[in-house]
Structure formats: structure tokens, C-alpha cells
Amino acid sequence: MSNGIPLTEALARYRPDALVEPLPKLTDSDTLLNAHHPDHLRGSLVKLVVGANAGESCQRELAEILQSEAFIDEADLAGTPVTDIDVLVIGGGGAGCAAALMAAEKGARVLLATKLRLGDSNTVMAEGGIQAAIEPDDSVQQHIQDTLRGGHHAGDPALVAVMAGDGPDVLRWLIRRGMQFEQTPSGDLHTRRAGGMSSARLVHCRDYTGLEMMRVLREAVIQHRSIEVWEQSPAVELLSNELGQKCVGAVLTSLLDGQLRIVRTRSVILATGGLGRLHLNGFPTSNHLGATGDGLVLAYRIGARLRELDSFQYHPTGLVHPTHLSGKLVTEGVRAAGTLLLNGLGQRFIDELLPRDMVCAAILRECSEGRGIRIDGQRVGVWLDTPRLERANPGLLEKQFPNLMTRTRVSGIDPRTEPLLVHPTLHYQNGGAVIDVNGATTVPGLYAVGEVAGGIHGRNRIMGNALLEIISFGRRAGIAATANRDRGPKKVTLEHVNRLRRALTLAGMPLTRRAPQVLPGYAAGGLWNR
């Protein structure tokens, strides 16, 4: 049984009406995480050699791009067209749109540059919902405590307090812009309790909350007269002043014609998202195609300090079968509704509503110890027992999880009658750039919001805080970025690039690898290459 239970055998054992044995008690969560969570895999961590975090541990694939050569140098700036703007937002997901809208509402001229199309981001893939303490038996303080506890008390309490406190107003702000949420029969917002929550706090729009949020934000950005949008225009480098100590703009390229463009500005807001497409430790990912960690590379190269570079979230329930759905998520809302996780022996092995890192580690334990369900020589998973949920609540899957039903239906799977095979998938970047309560990084003129920023989630994120974070800090950074009233940069340089290049050379590091990656190597067109 060391390789797992064959799929045909596990299916023969499975019964949606079978009595499930009592859940074994979890006696030591730290031992479970240290033994089975991917962050702790042998050989996955290295020490950074140069930069603001030199000497600290970092995931190997991320370290390679943080300590890499730039694509451009000073000679590339000569003759390059220049655009002057008040605020430059890099990234067209939820955080970038929220930041752009608030900056524009404060009177700034805003340029929003996005790598792909406006809205192509991890935001649209966030299915489960957004946290906000709005129920009578809940409180902002409970939200704060849940978040800090779920992140193993590694989060910044000041950032967590700001985010949780913003929750109710974030909902009002979104609703005023037309976002739809599920309601109770009496007309109140419907909430559910998910993993790591002490109270029902998750407000949602069926199982496509992020998509609905992005619809509203995208329309607002397009309609705003003070926001100019450049699509298919990724940033390949930030610009610094003559001392290399302040961010004063960025160099963008075009995915259509490869031309460079300089943007000079008073403030830059990074909203570039995560890095799932680096496939840390060889895991599949739920992330969109552009999630290649570009913002971390650019921020680190200009001198910004980063945090939690050794901690990433693997979502417990990524589909593993059929193959073409590998990495696609089954929202945690399905488990919040009462679905159980079962191994190939039909045994329940973990509380499904524990924080995600513990559920992930428990699934990987079952698979590594031979109680998983083997599909072939490489793929193994556990059951997500959706038929049992459907038997207890007829029609619930179709009503509350239409996105899941559509995705599985086109693949010939019916979750109402057959369990889903799931396995952890690389999902979220717990850390990122160090920021203050307004999204300011340690480099003057540079802000970071959304998944590229760190400090909110500590070493594990609980469901629903990502969609709250991007609006809370996106709005705050948008306002703060407009407070810079200087006359703008007198000179733009790549002095910070030269500085890091010298450090890499002195450390004996190779200058053969270049970053940011922009697109994964298997994407159409491959790696960006001038």
C-alpha cells in the first residue's frame, strides 16, 4: 500500500452513506507541519546572498529570480519615449484597480499598467468570499485574533488591525459600486464560517466572489476619466533617482511590439500579485498565467525589504483528476458547507475547517504514508466527499457552487454522485514587501498592495482575507500615494540596478539569469526576450 490505493479499489470501497469513524485527535500541529508541509521539504530553502534580506532563508526558485540580472541597462533608456504622470499603478487586478480608483478620486492623474488585460489576475479566481465582521456575535477583535492565530502569530498586528477594522466599510464601498452578494431570506448579507474562523464572517457571491468583484472594479476603472490604462504592458524595471534611493518611475515594455516606454511619476504602486507560476517544489498552481513574482524582483532590486520568503500557501483542495483540471481549486466554501475529506480507506483524517496549512499537511501525510488514492505513477489524492453533502442537502451544490458544477460537468464528472479527487496546489504568497498601514515600502516613493505585499497573513492565510486585503490596502495606498506633492523626479536612473549588479559580482554570483520573468516558459511566446 506504500504507493497508495488504486483508484478502482478506492471507488469500490467508497459509499456516500457509509458511517464515518470518529476523527482522530490532532495532538501536535507543529510536528504535522514540519514533517509534511511543502515549505519544509529538504532542499527547498537557500540563503539569500545579496540585497536587503541577505542571510535570510528563501524558497530556492524565488531566490534565483531575486538574485538575477536586469533585462535593461542605462543605454536602453536613451531615446526611449517618456510619459509623466502623478501615480503609476503596476497591476490590473483587484488591488491595482482599488488603488487607481482612490488615487483618481483624490485628484491624481493615474496610469494603470497591466501585464495582460485589465482584470486578468488571481482576483478573478478567488471563489470563496471576503471576510468582514458584521454578525452580532462577531467582532473586529475576533477577526484580528483569528488572523494572527491562523498566521502562527507571525503577522504584523498593526496591519491586521487595520485590515479587519476596514472590513465593514470595504463591503459598503463595494456594494455602492454594484457588487452583488448572497443574501438571507430576510435580506441580510449571508455569511458562512470557514477554516480558522471563530465566527461566520465570510460574505460571498456564490462561488465566484472574486470574479464579481473584478467585474465591478474593472468597470469603474474603465469609466473613470482620470485613469489611463495600458494593457499588455508589463514593468521590466523600476527607476530610481540619481542616488538610487527613491523610486521615481518604471520602464514598461509592450507584449505586442517589444518597445520600451519610460514612465516618470511621483509615486509607484506595485500590485503585481503572486508567483504561483514559478511552481515551487514542482507543485501545480491555481494562479493565473502572469503570476511570476515580477513585483518581488523589482522591489528587491531597488532595495525594498521583503518578509516571509520561506512561507507559501498550498490550497488543500486542488483537483487532481482528470489531468487537464490539475491545480484548479475546489473552493473552501465546499468544506465550510460540510463536505468531508476521506482517504482511500474511507477514513476521515483531519478537521476540514482547521487552517489551510494543517489541512494541506494532513492530506500530504495520507498520500505519503500510502492511504491516498493512486491514479497513476505520479498522481495521488484524497476524496472530497461531495455526494455525502448532496445527500444531506439536496440541490445545495447546484445552488451555491455553480462554478464548480460547470467546471466538472464539462469534464464528465458529477460531484453530486461521485467524490472529487483532490491534492494540495500552490496557491498564495504569504509574505512579500514590508509595508506600513498605508502600503508604503521601505523605499521612498514605492508602495506595495495585494499579494506582492507581506505582513498581513504571517505564515498562513485564512480564507477570505485576500479579497479584503486587496481592497483595504489598495484604497489606503491610493490615497497615500497622492500625498506626495513634490515636482517629480529631475533625473531617472538605474543606479539601483548597477548597485545590485556590483553586489552580485563581488559575491561571485552568475549574471546569466535575467528577471523579471514576465511569463512562464511554457506560455505562448515563452519568456520575455528583447
Side-chain angles (χ1 to χ4, degrees):
M1 198 172 67
S2 59
N3 293 323
I5 300 165
L7 177 59
T8 53
E9 181 181 335
L11 274 173
R13 289 173 180 263
Y14 172 75
R15 294 288 185 276
D17 56 351
L19 182 66
V20 177
E21 298 175 4
L23 185 67
K25 186 177 181 180
L26 179 64
T27 56
D28 190 346
S29 59
D30 287 341
T31 297
L32 174 66
L33 292 172
N34 291 336
H36 297 284
H37 194 276
D39 282 349
H40 303 285
L41 288 174
R42 183 176 299 175
S44 67
L45 297 180
V46 298
K47 296 288 186 182
L48 290 170
V49 178
V50 300
N53 292 79
E56 297 182 16
S57 294
C58 180
Q59 283 285 332
R60 176 174 44 81
E61 296 91 340
L62 175 56
E64 289 175 357
I65 61 173
L66 291 180
Q67 301 178 131
S68 59
E69 171 69 303
F71 271 110
I72 62 173
D73 54 31
E74 299 280 1
D76 292 299
L77 302 185
T80 301
V82 178
T83 297
D84 289 295
I85 203 76
D86 295 331
V87 175
L88 170 63
V89 178
I90 302 175
C97 287
L101 286 168
M102 293 308 294
E105 289 177 12
K106 291 296 180 180
R109 295 176 303 116
V110 180
L111 172 61
L112 189 156
T114 182
K115 179 189 297 188
L116 302 174
R117 298 168 300 174
L118 183 62
D120 285 343
S121 64
N122 283 344
T123 303
V124 301
M125 300 181 180
E127 300 175 343
I130 178 171
Q131 281 203 56
I134 61 173
E135 295 289 3
D137 62 347
D138 197 10
S139 68
V140 169
Q141 186 59 40
Q142 285 178 249
H143 189 174
I144 294 169
Q145 291 171 348
D146 289 347
T147 300
L148 291 172
R149 186 186 307 111
H152 302 285
H153 297 281
D156 183 334
L159 298 182
V160 175
V162 161
M163 179 189 70
D166 282 352
D169 189 57
V170 163
L171 291 184
R172 287 189 288 268
W173 188 78
L174 290 167
I175 291 170
R176 285 197 298 267
R177 278 155 181 77
M179 185 168 175
Q180 302 293 312
F181 289 103
E182 295 297 304
Q183 298 180 358
T184 65
S186 62
D188 295 326
L189 292 177
H190 182 269
T191 59
R192 22 167 116 109
R193 176 178 171 265
M197 298 180 198
S198 59
S199 180
R201 190 181 302 130
L202 197 69
V203 183
H204 59 101
C205 180
R206 298 198 177 184
D207 62 344
Y208 46 80
T209 310
L211 182 62
E212 169 66 5
M213 177 184 287
M214 198 67 249
R215 176 190 68 80
V216 170
L217 294 174
R218 183 176 181 277
E219 289 177 359
V221 166
I222 291 172
Q223 293 170 6
H224 207 295
R225 294 181 179 180
S226 296
I227 302 175
E228 183 178 357
V229 177
W230 290 2
E231 294 187 314
Q232 300 186 70
S233 298
V236 294
E237 197 55 62
L238 296 177
L239 293 167
S240 56
N241 62 4
E242 55 270 26
L243 300 177
Q245 298 174 345
K246 181 180 181 181
C247 184
V248 293
V251 181
L252 309 179
T253 189
S254 168
L255 294 181
L256 300 178
D257 59 20
Q259 295 300 304
L260 296 177
R261 290 183 283 187
I262 291 173
V263 178
R264 294 186 303 202
T265 182
R266 297 172 181 170
S267 301
V268 174
I269 301 175
L270 286 176
T272 50
L275 50 60
R277 290 292 170 168
L278 297 185
H279 296 285
L280 304 182
N281 297 308
F283 272 71
T285 184
S286 63
N287 286 193
H288 80 109
L289 192 63
T292 49
D294 299 358
L296 293 177
V297 172
L298 300 180
Y300 196 65
R301 191 175 286 148
I302 204 170
R305 183 164 179 76
L306 310 180
R307 57 179 296 165
E308 278 84 52
L309 298 176
D310 59 343
S311 177
F312 295 84
Q313 182 166 87
Y314 295 76
H315 195 290
T317 52
L319 289 168
V320 70
H321 178 72
T323 305
H324 68 276
L325 292 181
S326 178
K328 299 296 184 182
L329 294 188
V330 180
T331 173
E332 188 172 319
V334 175
R335 282 180 283 132
T339 306
L340 303 181
L341 289 167
L342 304 176
N343 62 24
L345 300 173
Q347 300 166 332
R348 188 176 176 215
F349 54 88
I350 192 71
D351 179 348
E352 292 79 9
L353 295 186
L354 284 175
R356 286 176 173 177
D357 55 348
M358 285 188 271
V359 179
C360 165
I363 293 173
L364 293 173
R365 178 195 62 200
E366 296 302 296
C367 293
S368 66
E369 294 181 358
R371 295 181 295 275
I373 299 150
R374 188 176 76 245
I375 303 164
D376 52 36
Q378 295 182 318
R379 295 179 299 155
V380 64
V382 298
W383 292 133
L384 187 63
D385 193 4
T386 48
R388 187 182 302 269
L389 176 65
E390 183 68 16
R391 285 172 63 89
N393 303 274
L396 184 142
L397 288 172
E398 193 73 54
K399 179 181 178 182
Q400 292 195 17
F401 305 104
N403 194 31
L404 171 65
M405 295 301 294
T406 300
R407 178 179 294 160
T408 53
R409 185 179 292 117
V410 298
S411 300
I413 299 172
D414 188 349
R416 296 171 299 184
T417 59
E418 54 189 305
L420 299 175
L421 268 170
V422 296
H423 184 274
T425 186
L426 180 58
H427 184 52
Y428 198 84
Q429 173 182 302
N430 290 329
V434 173
I435 61 170
D436 69 10
V437 295
N438 292 315
T441 71
T442 56
V443 174
L446 181 64
Y447 297 79
V449 293
E451 201 168 342
V452 72
I456 298 113
H457 309 294
R459 304 189 68 80
N460 179 63
R461 179 178 66 83
I462 59 176
M463 179 186 183
N465 272 343
L467 290 185
L468 175 57
E469 173 201 1
I470 63 177
I471 305 300
S472 170
F473 287 93
R475 295 197 309 166
R476 287 173 169 271
I479 294 171
T482 64
N484 183 359
R485 299 295 183 183
D486 64 26
R487 299 179 61 184
K490 296 180 180 179
K491 183 180 180 181
V492 296
T493 76
L494 293 175
E495 179 55 35
H496 62 285
V497 173
N498 300 329
R499 186 171 58 223
L500 186 65
R501 186 177 291 139
R502 289 192 292 270
L504 288 169
T505 301
L506 288 173
M509 301 284 288
L511 298 177
T512 53
R513 176 151 190 168
R514 297 189 173 212
Q517 187 170 312
V518 179
L519 291 172
Y522 52 77
L527 293 173
W528 181 75
N529 189 16
R530 294 180 56 246

